Amino acid sequence: MKFKKYLLVVFSLGLLTACEDYIDINKSTTGVTDEELEAGGLIYGTQLMEMQQRVIPIGSPSKTTDPGNDLAVTDVMSSAQYIGFFGMNNNWKLSTEATWDFADNRMSYAYEQLYMKVYQPWVQIYQKIGNSEEPEKQEIMAIFNVVRVAGWLRATDCFGPIVYSNAGNGDIAPMLDKQEDVYKAMLKDLATCADILNKSTSKIMPKYDLIYDGDPIKWTKLANSLMLRMAVRTHFVNKDLAVEYIQKALNPRNGGVIESKTDGSKNW
């Protein structure tokens, strides 16, 4: 009986020893940690490239079919045909926006392209550095937020209310924001992003930025240009709001707006 008790004590001590180094024992020797990915910028870079390609899903020479279909649903066969900019030689059983038939499956497809596929890469970064006070991470988040507004502006203009203020907070069923509130929040976010980027003195993720190669000056101008576009749209609804943000966007001390081809992007 004493021998059994002795074995039990030895076994228990063995478990305690094993518990102390279980992290090292179970640590992958071939995987890559977040810290290692962050050191090379890849943890942000892959998500940025994914997100940038989702705003206008034109794809690349190696990816033509799926992005082409995505763009056709969100722009060509829907809004562009609806306003008469495009016409099709297939009636698609008369089930397109051009015939005022907003079919559920097409609307679900459009919502996925305009909102969800922009949200998915953004939220992964937002949950990591969204509330960081480190200047470098604030600059990275500012670029992600400018791209988010560029994408979700199309979403709210298509669907009206969308989840914006509660996006990324982990709510199971986040409440939708009214389009008026979405516009106000977007304008405020763009002003914040422009302020952060206008103070930057070095390139931001240049290896992974498909739009401006990390140039903070051009990103600042894009943020202000989006702000100007949105502010002008609100003029007949909320003149005071429009004037406030038009002045912010056009103030040279805030970085200016896109005025020439040299301010533009090679991909957007």
Coordinates of all heavy atoms in Angstrom, one line a residue, residues 168-216:
G168 N -16.7 44.9 -36.2 CA -15.4 44.4 -35.6 C -15.4 44.3 -34.1 O -14.4 44.0 -33.5
N169 N -16.6 44.6 -33.5 CA -16.6 44.6 -32.0 C -17.0 43.2 -31.4 O -17.1 43.1 -30.2 CB -17.6 45.6 -31.5 CG -17.1 47.1 -31.8 OD1 -15.9 47.3 -32.0 ND2 -18.1 48.0 -31.9
G170 N -17.2 42.3 -32.3 CA -17.5 40.9 -31.8 C -18.9 40.6 -31.5 O -19.3 39.6 -30.9
D171 N -19.9 41.5 -31.8 CA -21.3 41.3 -31.5 C -21.8 40.2 -32.5 O -21.5 40.2 -33.7 CB -22.1 42.6 -31.8 CG -21.7 43.7 -30.8 OD1 -21.2 43.4 -29.7 OD2 -21.8 44.9 -31.2
I172 N -22.6 39.4 -31.9 CA -23.2 38.3 -32.8 C -24.2 38.8 -33.8 O -24.2 38.4 -34.9 CB -23.9 37.2 -31.9 CG1 -22.9 36.6 -31.0 CG2 -24.6 36.2 -32.7 CD1 -23.5 35.6 -30.0
A173 N -25.0 39.8 -33.3 CA -25.9 40.4 -34.2 C -25.8 42.0 -34.1 O -26.7 42.6 -33.5 CB -27.4 40.0 -33.9
P174 N -24.8 42.6 -34.7 CA -24.6 44.0 -34.6 C -25.7 44.8 -35.2 O -26.2 44.4 -36.3 CB -23.2 44.3 -35.3 CG -23.1 43.1 -36.2 CD -23.7 41.9 -35.5
M175 N -26.0 45.9 -34.6 CA -27.1 46.8 -35.2 C -26.6 47.5 -36.4 O -25.5 48.0 -36.5 CB -27.6 47.8 -34.1 CG -28.3 47.1 -33.0 SD -29.0 48.4 -31.8 CE -30.2 49.2 -32.9
L176 N -27.6 47.7 -37.4 CA -27.3 48.5 -38.6 C -27.3 49.9 -38.2 O -28.1 50.4 -37.4 CB -28.3 48.2 -39.6 CG -28.4 46.7 -40.2 CD1 -29.7 46.6 -41.0 CD2 -27.2 46.4 -41.0
D177 N -26.4 50.7 -38.9 CA -26.5 52.2 -38.8 C -27.3 52.7 -40.0 O -27.2 52.2 -41.1 CB -25.0 52.7 -38.9 CG -24.2 52.3 -37.7 OD1 -24.6 52.7 -36.6 OD2 -23.1 51.7 -37.9
K178 N -28.1 53.8 -39.7 CA -28.8 54.4 -40.8 C -27.7 55.0 -41.7 O -26.6 55.4 -41.3 CB -29.6 55.6 -40.2 CG -30.8 55.1 -39.4 CD -31.7 56.2 -39.0 CE -30.9 57.3 -38.1 NZ -31.9 58.4 -37.7
Q179 N -28.1 55.2 -43.0 CA -27.1 55.7 -44.0 C -26.6 57.1 -43.6 O -25.4 57.4 -43.7 CB -27.7 55.7 -45.4 CG -26.6 56.1 -46.4 CD -27.2 56.0 -47.8 OE1 -28.3 56.4 -48.1 NE2 -26.3 55.6 -48.7
E180 N -27.5 57.9 -43.0 CA -27.0 59.2 -42.6 C -25.9 59.1 -41.5 O -24.9 59.8 -41.6 CB -28.2 60.0 -41.9 CG -27.9 61.3 -41.4 CD -29.0 62.0 -40.7 OE1 -30.2 61.5 -40.7 OE2 -28.8 63.1 -40.1
D181 N -26.1 58.2 -40.6 CA -25.1 58.0 -39.6 C -23.8 57.4 -40.1 O -22.7 57.6 -39.7 CB -25.6 57.1 -38.4 CG -26.8 57.8 -37.7 OD1 -26.8 59.1 -37.7 OD2 -27.6 57.1 -37.1
V182 N -24.0 56.5 -41.1 CA -22.8 55.9 -41.8 C -22.0 57.0 -42.5 O -20.7 57.0 -42.3 CB -23.2 54.8 -42.8 CG1 -22.0 54.4 -43.7 CG2 -23.9 53.7 -42.2
Y183 N -22.6 57.9 -43.2 CA -21.9 59.0 -43.8 C -21.2 59.8 -42.8 O -20.0 60.2 -43.0 CB -22.9 59.8 -44.6 CG -22.9 59.5 -46.1 CD1 -23.2 58.3 -46.6 CD2 -22.5 60.5 -47.1 CE1 -23.2 58.0 -47.9 CE2 -22.5 60.2 -48.4 CZ -22.8 58.9 -48.9 OH -22.8 58.6 -50.2
K184 N -21.8 60.2 -41.7 CA -21.2 61.0 -40.7 C -20.0 60.3 -40.1 O -18.9 60.9 -39.9 CB -22.2 61.3 -39.6 CG -23.3 62.3 -40.0 CD -24.3 62.6 -38.9 CE -25.4 63.6 -39.2 NZ -26.3 63.8 -38.1
A185 N -20.1 59.0 -39.8 CA -19.0 58.3 -39.2 C -17.9 58.1 -40.2 O -16.7 58.2 -39.8 CB -19.5 56.9 -38.8
M186 N -18.2 57.9 -41.5 CA -17.1 57.8 -42.5 C -16.4 59.1 -42.6 O -15.1 59.1 -42.8 CB -17.8 57.4 -43.8 CG -18.1 55.9 -43.9 SD -18.8 55.5 -45.6 CE -18.9 53.7 -45.5
L187 N -17.1 60.2 -42.7 CA -16.4 61.5 -42.8 C -15.5 61.7 -41.6 O -14.4 62.2 -41.8 CB -17.5 62.6 -42.9 CG -18.3 62.7 -44.2 CD1 -19.5 63.6 -44.0 CD2 -17.3 63.2 -45.3
K188 N -15.9 61.4 -40.4 CA -15.1 61.6 -39.2 C -13.9 60.7 -39.3 O -12.8 61.2 -39.0 CB -15.9 61.3 -38.0 CG -15.2 61.5 -36.7 CD -16.1 61.2 -35.5 CE -15.3 61.5 -34.2 NZ -16.2 61.2 -33.0
D189 N -14.1 59.5 -39.7 CA -12.9 58.5 -39.8 C -11.9 59.0 -40.9 O -10.7 58.9 -40.7 CB -13.4 57.1 -40.2 CG -14.1 56.4 -39.0 OD1 -13.9 56.9 -37.8 OD2 -14.7 55.4 -39.2
L190 N -12.4 59.5 -42.0 CA -11.5 60.0 -43.1 C -10.7 61.1 -42.6 O -9.5 61.3 -42.9 CB -12.3 60.3 -44.3 CG -12.9 59.2 -45.1 CD1 -13.8 59.7 -46.2 CD2 -11.8 58.4 -45.8
A191 N -11.3 62.0 -41.8 CA -10.6 63.2 -41.3 C -9.5 62.7 -40.4 O -8.4 63.3 -40.4 CB -11.6 64.1 -40.6
T192 N -9.8 61.7 -39.5 CA -8.8 61.2 -38.6 C -7.6 60.5 -39.4 O -6.5 60.7 -39.1 CB -9.4 60.2 -37.7 OG1 -10.5 60.8 -36.9 CG2 -8.4 59.6 -36.7
C193 N -8.0 59.7 -40.4 CA -7.0 59.1 -41.2 C -6.1 60.1 -41.9 O -4.9 59.9 -42.0 CB -7.7 58.1 -42.2 SG -8.5 56.7 -41.5
A194 N -6.7 61.1 -42.5 CA -5.9 62.1 -43.2 C -5.0 62.8 -42.3 O -3.8 63.1 -42.7 CB -6.9 63.1 -43.9
D195 N -5.4 63.1 -41.1 CA -4.5 63.7 -40.1 C -3.3 62.9 -39.7 O -2.2 63.3 -39.7 CB -5.4 64.1 -38.8 CG -4.5 64.8 -37.8 OD1 -4.0 65.9 -38.1 OD2 -4.4 64.3 -36.7
I196 N -3.6 61.6 -39.5 CA -2.5 60.6 -39.2 C -1.5 60.5 -40.3 O -0.3 60.6 -40.1 CB -3.1 59.3 -38.8 CG1 -3.9 59.4 -37.5 CG2 -2.0 58.2 -38.7 CD1 -4.6 58.1 -37.1
L197 N -2.0 60.3 -41.5 CA -1.2 60.0 -42.7 C -0.4 61.3 -43.1 O 0.7 61.2 -43.6 CB -2.0 59.5 -43.8 CG -2.7 58.1 -43.6 CD1 -3.7 57.8 -44.6 CD2 -1.6 57.0 -43.6
N198 N -1.0 62.5 -42.9 CA -0.4 63.7 -43.3 C 0.8 64.0 -42.4 O 1.7 64.8 -42.9 CB -1.4 64.9 -43.2 CG -0.9 66.1 -43.8 OD1 -0.3 66.1 -44.9 ND2 -1.3 67.3 -43.3
K199 N 0.9 63.4 -41.3 CA 2.1 63.6 -40.4 C 3.2 62.5 -40.6 O 4.3 62.7 -40.0 CB 1.6 63.5 -38.9 CG 0.6 64.6 -38.5 CD 0.1 64.4 -37.1 CE -0.9 65.5 -36.7 NZ -1.4 65.3 -35.4
S200 N 2.9 61.5 -41.4 CA 3.8 60.5 -41.6 C 5.0 61.0 -42.4 O 4.9 61.7 -43.4 CB 3.2 59.3 -42.4 OG 4.1 58.3 -42.6
T201 N 6.2 60.5 -42.1 CA 7.4 61.0 -42.7 C 8.1 59.8 -43.5 O 9.2 60.1 -44.1 CB 8.4 61.5 -41.7 OG1 8.7 60.5 -40.7 CG2 7.8 62.7 -41.0
S202 N 7.5 58.7 -43.5 CA 8.2 57.6 -44.3 C 7.1 56.7 -44.9 O 5.9 56.8 -44.6 CB 9.0 56.7 -43.3 OG 8.2 56.2 -42.3
K203 N 7.5 55.9 -45.9 CA 6.5 55.0 -46.5 C 6.0 54.0 -45.6 O 6.6 53.5 -44.6 CB 7.2 54.3 -47.7 CG 7.5 55.3 -48.9 CD 7.8 54.5 -50.2 CE 7.8 55.4 -51.4 NZ 8.0 54.7 -52.6
I204 N 4.7 53.6 -45.9 CA 4.0 52.6 -45.0 C 3.7 51.4 -45.8 O 3.0 51.4 -46.8 CB 2.7 53.3 -44.5 CG1 2.9 54.6 -43.9 CG2 1.9 52.3 -43.6 CD1 1.7 55.5 -43.7
M205 N 4.3 50.3 -45.4 CA 4.1 49.0 -46.0 C 4.3 49.0 -47.5 O 3.4 48.6 -48.3 CB 2.7 48.4 -45.7 CG 2.4 48.1 -44.3 SD 0.8 47.4 -44.0 CE -0.2 48.8 -44.4
P206 N 5.4 49.6 -48.0 CA 5.5 49.8 -49.5 C 5.5 48.5 -50.3 O 5.1 48.5 -51.5 CB 6.9 50.5 -49.6 CG 7.6 50.2 -48.3 CD 6.5 50.1 -47.3
K207 N 6.0 47.4 -49.7 CA 6.1 46.1 -50.4 C 4.7 45.5 -50.7 O 4.6 44.7 -51.6 CB 7.0 45.1 -49.7 CG 8.4 45.5 -49.6 CD 9.3 44.3 -49.1 CE 8.9 44.0 -47.7 NZ 9.8 42.9 -47.1
Y208 N 3.7 45.9 -49.9 CA 2.4 45.3 -50.0 C 1.3 46.2 -50.4 O 0.2 45.8 -50.6 CB 2.1 44.7 -48.6 CG 3.1 43.8 -48.0 CD1 4.0 44.2 -47.0 CD2 3.3 42.5 -48.5 CE1 5.0 43.4 -46.5 CE2 4.3 41.7 -48.0 CZ 5.1 42.1 -47.0 OH 6.1 41.3 -46.5
D209 N 1.6 47.5 -50.7 CA 0.6 48.4 -51.0 C 0.5 48.5 -52.6 O 1.4 49.0 -53.3 CB 1.0 49.8 -50.5 CG 0.0 50.9 -50.9 OD1 -1.1 50.6 -51.5 OD2 0.3 52.1 -50.6
L210 N -0.6 47.9 -53.1 CA -0.8 47.8 -54.5 C -1.3 49.1 -55.1 O -1.3 49.3 -56.4 CB -1.8 46.7 -54.8 CG -1.5 45.3 -54.3 CD1 -2.7 44.4 -54.6 CD2 -0.3 44.8 -55.0
I211 N -1.6 50.1 -54.3 CA -2.2 51.3 -54.8 C -1.2 52.4 -54.9 O -1.0 53.0 -56.0 CB -3.4 51.7 -53.9 CG1 -4.4 50.6 -53.7 CG2 -4.1 52.9 -54.5 CD1 -4.9 50.0 -55.0
Y212 N -0.5 52.8 -53.8 CA 0.4 53.9 -53.8 C 1.8 53.6 -53.4 O 2.6 54.5 -53.0 CB -0.2 55.0 -52.9 CG -1.4 55.7 -53.4 CD1 -2.6 55.8 -52.6 CD2 -1.5 56.2 -54.7 CE1 -3.7 56.4 -53.0 CE2 -2.6 56.8 -55.1 CZ -3.7 57.0 -54.3 OH -4.8 57.6 -54.8
D213 N 2.1 52.3 -53.3 CA 3.5 51.9 -52.9 C 3.9 52.5 -51.5 O 5.0 52.8 -51.3 CB 4.5 52.3 -53.9 CG 4.3 51.5 -55.3 OD1 3.9 50.4 -55.2 OD2 4.5 52.2 -56.3
G214 N 2.9 52.6 -50.7 CA 3.2 53.1 -49.3 C 3.4 54.6 -49.2 O 3.8 55.1 -48.1
D215 N 3.1 55.4 -50.2 CA 3.3 56.8 -50.2 C 2.2 57.5 -49.3 O 1.0 57.6 -49.7 CB 3.2 57.4 -51.6 CG 3.6 58.9 -51.7 OD1 3.6 59.5 -50.6 OD2 4.0 59.3 -52.8
P216 N 2.5 58.0 -48.1 CA 1.5 58.6 -47.2 C 0.9 59.9 -47.8 O -0.2 60.3 -47.5 CB 2.3 58.9 -46.0 CG 3.7 59.0 -46.4 CD 3.9 58.1 -47.5

